[in-house]
Amino acid sequence: MEEIMHELRQIRREIDEQKIAIDRNGEKVTEKVTQNINCILEDKFKILNENYEHIREKCENQEKRLYFLEKQARKNNIVFFGIKEMETSYSNLESLIVNFIKEHFSQELDRRDIQEVRRIGKKGERPRPIIVTFCTLGTKINLFKNRSALKNTGYYITEDFPQNILEKRKELQEQARIERVKGNVVRIKYDKLIINEKKKTTGNNKRMLSTSPENKTTKGAETNTQANKKNKSQTQTRRTSSLSEGILKPGMLNYLINRNTNNSADPQQINNANI
């Protein structure tokens, strides 16, 4: 009986060990499967991310192209405000714009100079703005340069901007007002704020002019200093040579010179000299 119990205990122990081994193997298998799944998912996410970046770059390029095309399409446009709606047809509207330009800008234009003209917005109490597309950019520039002719007339003109640019310009107006309070010259060019800082007052220039004699004196002093330095260096050089020569007395110096001359002279030259 005891042997049977011993065998049963041993069998149970083996079963427990096998169970533990199976659990460990199951954990390893689960870990490997999880790693494989994670690797597959990472590869797929990497591909998706690359595709997303590619699509995002394409969209950005398309937006830039659309922005450029819209800007180019509007560059010959001028928006006229305040002109009453008296036209009954497209031809009347063209004639209205041609006569308006002739009256207020003193420029003779023909219908052939206008590519398109149309009103925008919904009808209301106020007259709707008119967008005029000119055939040439030069015509648009000449008219826009003379926009001051509409001062105190109740009419005014602006450039034709896309909606997002109009919103951007509205945001820049507040910043432009702050810069003008500081005294800076500010202008908004398309969607950018250009700031010219306030120049220095004439008082600073006067101070600069008042100090100019001192500058001249300083320059003269610097010139004299440089000349003195040059003379000083030359004097020092001369002084050095005079000191080296003054070590020997004049009588002994002449003696040594005559001695060296006599020793170095050729006997034949001496005989020729004596003859």
Side-chain angles (χ1 to χ4, degrees), residues 40 84 216 233 239 258 268:
I40 294 170
K84 293 182 180 180
K216 290 180 180 180
S233 61
R239 186 181 299 115
N258 294 330
Q268 185 174 358

Side-chain angles (χ1 to χ4, degrees), residues 259-273:
R259 182 179 178 182
N260 291 331
T261 303
N262 294 330
N263 291 333
S264 61
D266 190 1
Q268 185 174 358
Q269 291 179 355
I270 294 173
N271 294 331
N272 294 331

